[in-house]
Amino acid sequence: MSHDTYELKAEAREQVGKGSARAVRRDGKVPVVIYGDKQPPLAIALNYKDLFYKIHGGGFLTTVATIDVDGKKIQVLPKDFQLDPVKDFPVHVDFLRIGKDTEVNVDVPVHFINEDKSPGIKRGGVLNIVRHEVEFHCPANAIPEFITVDLAGTDIGDSIHISAVKLPAGVKPVISDRDFTIATIAGSSAMKPEPEATTEVAAAEPAAPAAEEK
């Protein structure tokens, strides 16, 4: 399932706007907005270092967090964030409130296993990844950390579709009108020929005609 949840302490912001946001950043904090769950948006400020390490630590957008706003704890899921284009530090984050029945669309990474058990890859074939992430609709408190594609038994020319992936309960692809491809096993110039190929070619060549007697 998803990464371990975490908690961040926040301060409520009474004022919003560009001027207020700049003042928040000067204090070493990041302006944040919490919205959703049929409640008005809540403007807060979070510690810059706490957010920096969470964003760059992996799984940020698929991990439910708890925000402690002056003693009131709110469960949230990060929905979007902006980084400084030069220094790569967070300048703004949006969080979605999570209720007990909240469902979300989220991009989940794809992991591949058993490449060493793929006959096609062993012969020099190449794993061609069509989708590094797949968008799923799922409960906010049950987001998969990743989905796993098993390559055991795959050969040159094979395609792995979403229907071949075992998904957790309640997790459904957002694309539902087709069995889309996640990866293929493609041929390459480094492929090893089949052992019987040389024999078959030789057998297929016609014998030279015998010389006529004079």
Side-chain angles (χ1 to χ4, degrees):
M1 299 305 289
S2 59
H3 294 271
D4 291 337
T5 187
Y6 57 91
E7 182 172 315
L8 298 173
K9 287 190 176 295
E11 298 175 1
R13 288 193 292 142
E14 294 183 2
Q15 297 182 359
V16 295
K18 292 184 178 180
S20 172
R22 283 194 293 266
V24 168
R25 295 186 190 104
R26 283 196 298 269
D27 288 340
K29 296 181 174 61
V30 180
V32 174
V33 175
I34 300 175
Y35 67 95
D37 201 27
K38 299 179 181 179
Q39 298 183 45
L42 175 63
I44 61 172
L46 286 171
N47 181 273
Y48 155 76
K49 286 186 177 180
D50 290 343
L51 269 182
F52 180 89
Y53 289 117
K54 292 302 180 185
I55 289 174
H56 293 285
F60 181 65
L61 293 176
T62 57
T63 305
V64 173
T66 300
I67 305 294
D68 184 339
V69 185
D70 300 327
K72 181 182 179 181
K73 297 189 177 184
I74 307 169
Q75 271 206 315
V76 298
L77 180 70
K79 289 302 294 179
D80 193 20
F81 61 88
Q82 296 173 359
L83 300 178
D84 182 274
V86 177
K87 298 181 180 179
D88 213 30
F89 56 73
V91 296
H92 182 84
V93 181
D94 286 332
F95 285 100
L96 175 69
R97 285 187 185 89
I98 299 300
K100 64 174 184 174
D101 298 320
T102 302
E103 295 187 347
V104 295
N105 290 353
V106 62
D107 290 326
V108 177
V110 180
H111 286 191
F112 296 88
I113 62 171
N114 290 329
E115 289 191 37
D116 58 332
K117 297 180 181 179
S118 165
I121 294 177
K122 280 186 175 180
R123 289 198 292 115
V126 176
L127 174 62
N128 175 38
I129 301 175
V130 178
R131 295 176 182 269
H132 290 271
E133 294 181 328
V134 175
E135 187 178 14
F136 290 103
H137 184 79
C138 55
N141 58 1
I143 300 172
E145 183 178 351
F146 55 81
I147 61 169
T148 301
V149 173
D150 191 348
L151 299 174
T154 55
D155 210 339
I156 303 296
D158 285 352
S159 296
I160 300 100
H161 299 94
I162 187 63
S163 60
V165 181
K166 186 176 180 181
L167 300 175
V171 176
K172 300 176 182 178
V174 171
I175 298 174
S176 58
D177 60 345
R178 64 186 186 277
D179 190 14
F180 57 87
T181 301
I182 296 177
T184 62
I185 308 298
S188 75
S189 57
M191 279 181 55
K192 301 173 185 176
E194 295 283 0
E196 48 282 85
T198 305
T199 306
E200 290 176 358
V201 171
E205 291 180 355
E212 293 184 3
E213 294 183 5
K214 294 183 179 178

